[in-house]
Amino acid sequence: MNIHEYQAKQLFRAFSIPVPQGGVADTSEQAQHVAQSLASSSWVVKAQIHAGARGKAGGVKLAHNPREVADYAGTMLGSRLVTHQTDANGLPVNCVWIEQASAIKTEFYLSLLIDRDSERLVFIASAAGGMDIEAVAAETPEKIIRVTVHPAAGLQSYHCRQVAAALLLNKEQQGQLQAIMTGMYELFWAKDCSQIEINPLIATEEGNLVALDAKINFDDNALALHPDIAAMRDASQEDAKEAEAKQFDLNYITLGGNIGCMVNGAGLAMATMDMVKLKGGAPANFLDVGGGTNKDKVKEAFKLILSDGSVKAVLVNIFGGIVKCDVIAAGILAAVEEMHLTIPVVVRLEGTNVEQGLAMLKNAGLGLVAAEDLNSAAEQAVKLAEAIA
Ligand code: ADP
Ligand code: MG
């Protein structure tokens, strides 16, 4: 799960990571009040969305008086911000964060994440931080250092000295960095994070280290242990279909193509998407209805696919191992009963009660196309989608 920058900065503050003074607002009047309440001569207005690269997309603005803060907030609020980390529709800006503008001397990059190869947490740091870190990673990867921390020993001073040396910090800043890295490390464990990123971490003109940006991702599987974090969820930032799918415990991810896929088991779903690609098509989604699924879940899954306007054909690929094929067929029929079926549906069922399942679909007289194997199912779905598109 992702949270907003302003929420991440609250957590930073709680773990002694220095952040600028600021406040959140969802109207331009409120934004102006926040600016007036902060002792500063300039302010930064920041669109709160669950994506980065806002600066380059006009989502981070420097204002020189509270009136200007209100104007920027007014422009951002209610709009959708498109950055190179969002899709073409962007994400809705429902609130803005206003903070004191910092006098920036240097921008660093500092993050903490899980390194699956070494099975440890790793700090990643660079003296070349800021908005072009992706270019640094691609063109001059030697400017990025990695320091792994052994879980039994925990974070040690020498880890911090290694990072401080790479960032060319002075003695006083080394102490500040140690406090920041300690805060990040403790926060990571305390809240079951999967990533904490500070980009940029800055040295101010006065020489102090401050986290100007804050990004935290959490391990969804641990959210039940952290009601305070779970309460930070902002569903408006999530794909509406993915959020709906979550309610029904379905594994659903929106993709860019036009063939809706309903599959059971993540491996079979991946293989199905590969087959669609191989036949020259593009999947509209990844959907795993789960191994031990039931009629209601299948129904909701099918409704979800049909409600996607870009879907021109549906490919159902189910192996009835734990679940029986007639249960799947009943779910499909229940969904079609509620939704008007206007696009072709190719069904490939295999496994327990396959004859019953296929007979149910055939007798319903909905014009469903029954395919013998995955190869021909994918081929037919792609052809039918092309014919409609
Ligand atoms: P994003 O990563 O989404 O582009 P950031 O929070 O990193 O958003 O802001 C982009 C840039 O804006 C930063 O790299 C920094 O140069 C500048 N910036 C952000 N917050 C402040 C601030 N409080 N004071 C001065 N400059 C800021
Ligand atoms: Mg940033």
Side-chain angles (χ1 to χ4, degrees):
M1 188 185 92
N2 287 334
I3 58 172
H4 288 295
E5 173 197 4
Y6 80 90
Q7 296 165 320
K9 282 183 169 166
Q10 284 169 6
L11 287 165
F12 278 10
R13 206 179 277 280
F15 283 80
S16 307
I17 299 167
V19 291
Q21 291 281 346
V24 71
D26 55 17
T27 65
S28 52
E29 296 76 37
Q30 213 181 343
Q32 188 166 344
H33 285 142
V34 171
Q36 281 159 347
S37 71
L38 296 169
S40 192
S41 57
S42 49
W43 298 264
V44 176
V45 184
K46 308 180 81 172
Q48 297 299 291
I49 56 167
H50 283 191
R54 297 163 302 166
K56 286 186 175 166
V60 178
K61 292 286 188 187
L62 180 68
H64 300 283
N65 58 62
R67 188 63 246 162
E68 222 182 324
V69 168
D71 289 344
Y72 281 132
T75 313
M76 289 179 196
L77 287 165
S79 71
R80 293 185 75 90
L81 186 61
V82 180
T83 82
H84 72 243
Q85 292 186 9
T86 68
D87 63 17
N89 296 322
L91 288 168
V93 183
N94 297 325
C95 64
V96 290
W97 168 249
I98 296 102
E99 67 185 10
Q100 297 166 325
S102 299
I104 303 174
K105 178 116 188 282
T106 326
E107 298 201 344
F108 307 111
Y109 177 91
L110 180 63
S111 67
L112 179 60
L113 44 101
I114 299 165
D115 176 22
R116 293 180 194 281
D117 288 336
S118 64
E119 301 175 357
R120 293 176 188 191
L121 293 194
V122 58
F123 279 97
I124 297 179
S126 177
M131 294 200 274
D132 289 313
I133 190 68
E134 286 85 359
V136 174
E139 291 154 24
T140 47
E142 69 279 4
K143 289 191 179 160
I144 295 175
I145 68 147
R146 300 163 62 86
V147 175
T148 53
V149 181
H150 193 285
L155 183 69
Q156 305 288 319
S157 295
Y158 75 88
H159 295 128
C160 303
R161 285 198 298 274
Q162 279 176 359
V163 175
L167 302 185
L168 306 172
L169 301 185
N170 64 36
K171 197 86 196 140
E172 200 174 315
Q173 290 168 337
Q174 268 186 37
Q176 294 179 15
L177 181 75
Q178 176 139 1
I180 291 171
M181 289 174 65
T182 304
M184 290 168 78
Y185 193 77
E186 285 175 357
L187 170 58
F188 202 102
W189 281 106
K191 302 292 181 190
D192 286 304
C193 301
S194 50
Q195 182 179 1
I196 301 176
E197 185 185 72
I198 308 179
N199 185 34
L201 170 72
I202 60 153
T204 63
E205 290 291 351
E206 303 82 52
N208 294 320
L209 298 187
V210 180
L212 275 206
D213 196 2
K215 182 175 186 299
I216 308 182
N217 295 332
F218 297 91
D219 179 351
D220 284 357
N221 295 316
L223 277 179
L225 299 173
H226 306 289
D228 55 333
I229 304 296
M232 291 182 179
R233 163 162 266 143
D234 180 355
S236 78
Q237 301 294 313
E238 296 173 5
D239 182 290
K241 287 204 168 47
E242 289 176 19
E244 200 182 327
K246 227 172 249 163
Q247 282 181 20
F248 294 99
D249 204 18
L250 299 163
N251 245 325
Y252 181 95
I253 294 163
T254 303
L255 301 170
N258 62 4
I259 297 178
C261 301
M262 189 170 88
V263 189
N264 66 336
L268 191 58
M270 300 294 281
T272 306
M273 296 195 317
D274 282 350
M275 283 301 279
V276 168
K277 283 262 181 197
L278 193 67
K279 301 294 176 188
N285 67 282
F286 167 96
L287 171 61
D288 168 16
V289 294
T293 192
N294 58 39
K295 179 182 153 192
D296 284 339
K297 268 168 88 172
V298 170
K299 176 176 142 189
E300 292 306 327
F302 207 72
K303 276 167 64 180
L304 213 60
I305 293 175
L306 292 183
S307 66
D308 181 346
S310 50
V311 170
K312 301 290 178 243
V314 181
L315 170 56
V316 179
N317 184 23
I318 300 280
F319 178 73
I322 302 172
V323 61
K324 299 189 177 79
C325 293
D326 55 316
V327 171
I328 300 289
I332 294 175
L333 293 177
V336 172
E337 229 166 65
E338 275 184 41
M339 315 262 305
H340 193 52
L341 187 62
T342 53
I343 52 170
V345 177
V346 180
V347 185
R348 184 252 176 164
L349 289 179
E350 198 55 80
T352 313
N353 292 357
V354 61
E355 294 81 10
Q356 263 165 274
L358 284 175
M360 283 165 72
L361 294 176
K362 207 168 141 207
N363 296 340
L366 296 164
L368 304 176
V369 182
E372 281 196 355
D373 55 26
L374 178 52
N375 198 42
S376 85
E379 199 167 285
Q380 293 188 73
V382 172
K383 275 210 187 106
L384 290 164
E386 270 169 11
I388 286 194

